Amino acid sequence: MEEVIKETSKITTLKRLLRYVSSYKWKAIGVIFLLLIVMGCNTLNPMLMKVSIDNFVGSSNVKGLLGIGLALVILNLVVMILSKIRILVMSKITNQVLVDIRHELYTHIQTLSFSFFDNRPVGKILSRVVGDVNALQNLLNSSIVNLIPNIFTVALVIVMMMILNVKLAIVCLTVMPILFIAMFLIEVKSNKRWRKYRDKRSSLLGYTHEAFSGMKVIQGFGREDYARDKYEEHLNQHASGFMHAVKLQDTFWPVVDICRGLGIAIVLLTGYKLTTGDNLSPGTLMAFIMYIEMLWRPIMNLSAFYNAFITNLSAAERIFDILDTHNDMELKASSTALPKIKGKVTFENVSFSYEDDETYALKDADFILKAGEKIALVGETGAGKTTITNLISRFYDPSKGRVLIDGTDIKTVNLESLRSQMGIMLQDSFLFSTTIKENIRYGKLDATDEEIVAAAKAVNAHSFIEKLENGYDTNVNERGSRLSLGQRQLIAFARALIADPRILILDEATANIDTETERLVQKGIKKLMEGRTSIVIAHRLSTIRDCDKIFVVSDGEIVESGKHEELLKKKGYYYNLYCAQYSFLKEA
């Protein structure tokens, strides 16, 4: 699915982009100053040539010619040195600006709610952070290096041409309207084509990331040919999008060259007539021709800037589109930090819909969890169990009603202060591609090695970690692929324990652990739950029998609640679930 990007004014986009340069304004001003000196020196060359032809060539004044030659050498040597300095400083500015934009983009993405990630594949987000930011390099270089200095050069050259000969200057400028009209017509369609190309590139990166992440599934089902064909389809769309854009863009330079050639031809023809009438000296005509070349050089540089602007504008628009995306959970600037909590959780008539419509994943949930209670959520897949935990963690905000912790509406507190007091264990525990020690320390960044070992021992992970080649310094590889599913879960338990959360959420946390390992880890789980409000989601009803209360969720509603024995006596929904699971195990 192609992304919808809000269109904005090109000038607004450029101004916003140039704001990032303001942090380095003095260096940028220095670069512009160097460029102006270079441009000024370059404009003196034709004048020195005019003086040498009109004053010294005809009179065979060798001494004068040598003086002019020495002046030209010194002048161009200065130009060369200043140009090298300018290129070095400009490269540093551009690279630092790209770092700033990429850092701001990454930092902003971290603040966005889950709904943002629900609607975008990871590959498409990566396309913005990496590809689109890189595309801005040429645009930034062109903006500072080409825009201001070349506008100044065009103005200066036109003034010099007017001083030399007004008629020739006016004749020379007659081709400019043709060039501007052609550039405008090309730009109208070009920007749309480049935006479409970047959407295709984003889709290609999105599918590539997804395919590599799911490579075990592709190979497990023998679907390599199917995956290759899908990749080829995205690749062909990407290539055709590029060719469609570049074909139009390639007409840009021929138009510039035609106008340039036409302008020179008109000037030569007019100049010939003026020289034959003794109204124009040969030196003046030579200087004028040199000025024409000097005029078209900045015009071509400005055209290059315009070309880069059109080509890469869509990249800037896509970056600003994300930066303009706000967290839809109405974060308030006045939000205060949530003090240390006891763990009482209250749902007041809470309803929630993932699609902002009347299809509710949770309907009118109204209950209280006392601090330190162990609560279980059971029900069929999609009943709304995980939705309840998502709302407690404030990954989403309720469509109706309120969620309170210790009597405080969690909408009014700082997210970090809320989530730092919560521990969340999922069925597929994510591990970072670093050492086991660093993965456990993620729960408490200042944890000592002794605390890490103690946490691992508490959840019975220490024994298998010690058997690994490098023990706690063993690198788990990407997503923990070096370890079994059960081992990953145990490390995630240690990470949650060391964080010392006040509210603990276990979402099918033991689903990937074999029976023998589960027996070992149950003691660790009990230790993890001690003194904390614990919410457990489990399909294996045998794992929740000791909970203080069990909520039975069906079709987004809490249909039953009570202890294990109480619910069995009711012979209702929970009783049927328990009997069905017991019968299945007995048959097996």
Side-chain angles (χ1 to χ4, degrees):
M1 185 177 71
E2 291 188 3
E3 299 170 275
V4 179
I5 308 296
K6 182 181 177 181
E7 290 192 32
T8 54
S9 162
K10 297 174 183 60
I11 300 299
T12 301
T13 302
L14 182 60
K15 284 181 179 177
R16 190 170 177 182
L17 196 58
L18 289 176
R19 283 195 201 115
Y20 289 93
V21 184
S22 63
S23 301
Y24 313 95
K25 61 182 179 182
W26 294 114
K27 288 184 179 180
I29 289 170
V31 169
I32 293 171
F33 181 69
L34 288 177
L35 277 165
L36 295 180
I37 294 174
V38 169
M39 298 299 180
C41 290
N42 285 332
T43 55
L44 291 177
N45 281 331
M47 277 299 185
L48 291 174
M49 288 296 294
K50 176 186 180 302
V51 171
S52 64
I53 292 172
D54 288 346
N55 298 342
F56 303 128
V57 173
S59 60
S60 300
N61 188 337
V62 177
K63 189 177 179 180
L65 287 172
L66 288 173
I68 292 291
L70 181 62
L72 285 170
V73 169
I74 294 171
L75 205 60
N76 287 284
L77 190 62
V78 170
V79 167
M80 184 183 71
I81 294 170
L82 294 181
S83 295
K84 292 291 183 183
I85 295 172
R86 185 265 302 170
I87 291 170
L88 181 63
V89 176
M90 190 61 234
S91 297
K92 288 182 178 179
I93 293 173
T94 303
N95 288 328
Q96 191 56 53
V97 167
L98 294 183
V99 169
D100 292 344
I101 293 174
R102 188 172 280 124
H103 186 267
E104 181 182 347
L105 189 59
Y106 176 82
T107 304
H108 179 73
I109 288 171
Q110 283 193 121
T111 68
L112 298 177
S113 59
F114 274 29
S115 58
F116 172 83
F117 300 96
D118 291 341
N119 298 323
R120 291 170 179 83
V122 174
K124 289 195 173 187
I125 299 174
L126 280 174
S127 173
R128 306 278 185 101
V129 177
V130 180
D132 288 338
V133 174
N134 286 341
L136 296 181
Q137 184 166 11
N138 188 30
L139 182 56
L140 284 169
N141 268 325
S142 298
S143 299
I144 298 174
V145 175
N146 286 338
L147 188 60
I148 298 173
N150 284 300
I151 289 175
F152 172 80
T153 304
V154 169
L156 184 61
V157 170
I158 290 174
V159 169
M160 297 299 287
M161 289 168 67
M162 288 289 188
I163 292 171
L164 283 175
N165 192 286
V166 176
K167 288 183 180 178
L168 275 180
I170 293 172
V171 168
C172 178
L173 297 175
T174 54
V175 298
M176 293 301 170
I178 301 172
L179 177 63
F180 295 146
I181 291 170
M183 287 169 62
F184 174 77
L185 293 175
I186 292 171
E187 181 272 332
V188 170
K189 290 188 177 180
S190 185
N191 189 33
K192 293 179 181 178
R193 293 190 183 186
W194 282 111
R195 185 183 293 117
K196 194 169 184 179
Y197 155 70
R198 295 195 185 282
D199 286 340
K200 298 297 183 185
R201 188 190 65 179
S202 181
S203 297
L204 173 64
L205 289 174
Y207 178 78
T208 304
H209 181 274
E210 186 178 56
F212 288 158
S213 299
M215 190 54 68
K216 287 184 179 178
V217 176
I218 292 172
Q219 293 183 354
F221 283 90
R223 294 293 182 264
E224 289 89 347
D225 290 344
Y226 173 78
R228 183 199 63 212
D229 291 342
K230 288 283 289 181
Y231 180 78
E232 188 176 1
E233 181 182 336
H234 281 284
L235 197 61
N236 288 336
Q237 289 180 357
H238 172 263
S240 64
F242 177 77
M243 292 304 298
H244 189 58
V246 87
K247 280 179 182 176
L248 178 62
Q249 205 68 40
D250 281 348
T251 62
F252 191 88
W253 292 115
V255 169
V256 174
D257 285 335
I258 289 170
C259 290
R260 175 172 169 269
L262 185 61
I264 293 173
I266 292 172
V267 167
L268 286 173
L269 183 61
T270 308
Y272 170 74
K273 291 183 176 179
L274 288 174
T275 18
T276 52
D278 294 327
N279 292 324
L280 195 70
S281 70
T284 302
L285 181 59
M286 178 61 71
F288 207 93
I289 292 171
M290 291 181 70
Y291 275 127
I292 291 172
E293 284 297 320
M294 287 187 65
L295 176 67
W296 276 97
R297 200 179 305 140
I299 286 175
M300 292 185 76
N301 288 338
L302 288 170
S303 300
F305 160 72
Y306 190 71
N307 193 27
F309 180 61
I310 297 305
T311 304
N312 299 302
L313 181 66
S314 56
E317 288 175 345
R318 286 159 57 85
I319 290 169
F320 293 140
D321 177 64
I322 286 188
L323 290 175
D324 290 337
T325 301
H326 298 294
N327 192 319
D328 56 8
M329 295 190 300
E330 300 177 356
L331 292 176
K332 301 175 183 177
S334 60
S335 292
T336 55
L338 182 67
K340 188 173 181 179
I341 61 174
K342 295 178 179 178
K344 179 184 177 183
V345 179
T346 306
F347 271 51
E348 294 183 350
N349 298 313
V350 173
S351 297
F352 176 74
S353 171
Y354 286 97
E355 300 296 333
D356 294 327
D357 55 19
E358 296 301 316
T359 307
Y360 288 106
L362 189 67
K363 307 169 190 172
D364 299 320
D366 195 272
F367 59 83
I368 296 175
L369 310 181
K370 295 178 182 177
E373 272 193 323
K374 298 173 181 63
I375 307 298
L377 301 174
V378 300
E380 70 272 12
T381 301
K385 306 184 296 295
T386 301
T387 299
I388 291 174
T389 61
N390 282 340
L391 293 172
I392 294 173
S393 309
R394 208 185 168 204
F395 291 141
Y396 302 92
D397 275 338
S399 304
K400 299 176 183 175
R402 296 195 304 164
V403 178
L404 300 95
I405 292 181
D406 288 356
T408 302
D409 188 342
I410 60 174
K411 276 188 177 183
T412 64
V413 299
N414 179 275
L415 272 179
E416 185 179 355
S417 67
L418 168 68
R419 293 176 184 164
S420 64
Q421 301 189 67
M422 304 185 70
I424 303 171
M425 283 285 303
L426 305 176
Q427 181 175 346
D428 181 18
S429 289
F430 184 91
L431 297 184
F432 296 94
S433 55
T434 183
T435 63
I436 291 174
K437 183 189 295 181
E438 291 305 313
N439 269 289
I440 296 175
R441 185 176 276 131
Y442 205 80
K444 183 185 177 185
L445 297 179
D446 59 350
T448 63
D449 289 354
E450 290 75 20
E451 288 177 309
I452 291 170
V453 172
K457 285 180 177 178
V459 297
N460 294 305
H462 179 71
S463 56
F464 90 80
I465 294 173
E466 275 197 320
K467 293 175 184 177
L468 297 173
E469 183 180 354
N470 297 314
Y472 284 84
D473 292 317
T474 301
N475 198 303
V476 301
N477 297 344
E478 187 175 1
R479 299 184 67 90
S481 60
R482 187 171 182 173
L483 306 175
S484 69
L485 292 174
Q487 289 171 333
R488 289 181 224 166
Q489 289 293 79
L490 292 174
I491 291 173
F493 276 129
R495 181 169 63 194
L497 179 61
I498 206 170
D500 191 24
R502 306 314 307 149
I503 296 176
L504 180 67
I505 296 172
L506 303 176
D507 190 347
E508 290 291 342
T510 60
N512 293 325
I513 299 177
D514 58 81
T515 306
E516 188 63 33
T517 307
E518 185 177 359
R519 287 173 183 168
L520 293 173
V521 85
Q522 282 301 332
K523 293 180 181 179
I525 292 177
K526 285 182 180 179
K527 183 174 180 60
L528 197 60
M529 288 181 171
E530 285 177 6
R532 299 178 174 89
T533 304
S534 303
I535 303 162
V536 181
I537 297 176
H539 284 107
R540 277 189 258 181
L541 302 185
S542 59
T543 63
I544 59 171
R545 298 175 70 168
D546 297 330
C547 287
D548 298 319
K549 192 178 291 183
I550 298 170
F551 288 105
V552 184
V553 187
S554 177
D555 195 25
E557 298 183 61
I558 297 174
V559 294
E560 289 180 344
S561 65
K563 288 182 176 290
H564 174 72
E565 294 79 9
E566 294 172 354
L567 292 174
L568 288 179
K569 288 179 183 178
K570 288 182 180 179
K571 293 192 175 181
Y573 198 98
Y574 181 82
Y575 175 82
N576 292 332
L577 278 177
Y578 188 83
C579 290
Q581 196 169 106
Y582 181 77
S583 300
F584 174 78
L585 292 172
K586 190 175 180 181
E587 289 173 10

